[in-house]
C-alpha cells in the first residue's frame, strides 16, 4: 500500500465523517483507560509523588492489617497452648 493510497483512504474517511468518529472513539477510550488507571494506581504529581491513593494501596493496606491480625491470633493460640 503506497502513500498515495493512504492519503486517499484518509481523505475518504474524512469526507464520510468516519475519521472524526474514529478520533472521538480513541479519545473516549483513552479517557476511560486513564480513569481506570487513576482508580487503581492513584494519582501522582509531575514529580512522581502520590497525591491520591488508589484501590491498589487500599488492597495492600488491608492485606497488611490481616497479616498483623493473623500474627496476633497465632501468638494468642500459642500462649493458650502453654
Amino acid at each position: 500500500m503506497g502513500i498515495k493510497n493512504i492519503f486517499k483512504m484518509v481523505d475518504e474517511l474524512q469526507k464520510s465523517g468516519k475519521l472524526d468518529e474514529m478520533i472521538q472513539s480513541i479519545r473516549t477510550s483513552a479517557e476511560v483507560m486513564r480513569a481506570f488507571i487513576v482508580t487503581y494506581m492513584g494519582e501522582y504529581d509531575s514529580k512522581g509523588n502520590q497525591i491520591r491513593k488508589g484501590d491498589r494501596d487500599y488492597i495492600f493496606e488491608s492485606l497488611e492489617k490481616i497479616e498483623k491480625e493473623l500474627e496476633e491470633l497465632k501468638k494468642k493460640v500459642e500462649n493458650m497452648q502453654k
Side-chain angles (χ1 to χ4, degrees):
M1 181 178 283
I3 191 82
K4 288 182 182 180
N5 288 338
I6 292 172
F7 284 132
K8 184 179 176 183
M9 284 177 30
V10 170
D11 189 47
E12 288 173 7
L13 288 169
Q14 197 168 19
K15 286 179 183 175
S16 69
K18 291 281 185 190
L19 186 62
D20 290 335
E21 288 176 26
M22 292 169 68
I23 291 171
Q24 186 57 41
S25 177
I26 291 168
R27 285 183 178 146
T28 301
S29 296
E31 289 171 7
V32 169
M33 287 299 296
R34 183 188 183 286
F36 173 76
I37 291 168
V38 167
T39 299
Y40 179 72
M41 299 290 292
E43 201 163 356
Y44 293 81
D45 64 14
S46 60
K47 296 179 183 177
N49 300 314
Q50 190 174 33
I51 56 177
R52 196 181 94 212
K53 290 183 179 183
D55 290 347
R56 175 193 64 166
D57 299 301
Y58 295 114
I59 290 168
F60 285 125
E61 286 174 5
S62 295
L63 289 173
E64 288 172 1
K65 286 179 185 177
I66 291 169
E67 186 178 26
K68 286 179 185 177
E69 289 177 11
L70 286 173
E71 284 296 322
E72 289 176 14
L73 185 60
K74 179 183 172 186
K75 287 178 185 178
K76 288 179 182 179
V77 169
E78 287 174 353
N79 287 336
M80 288 173 56
Q81 290 177 343
K82 290 181 182 179

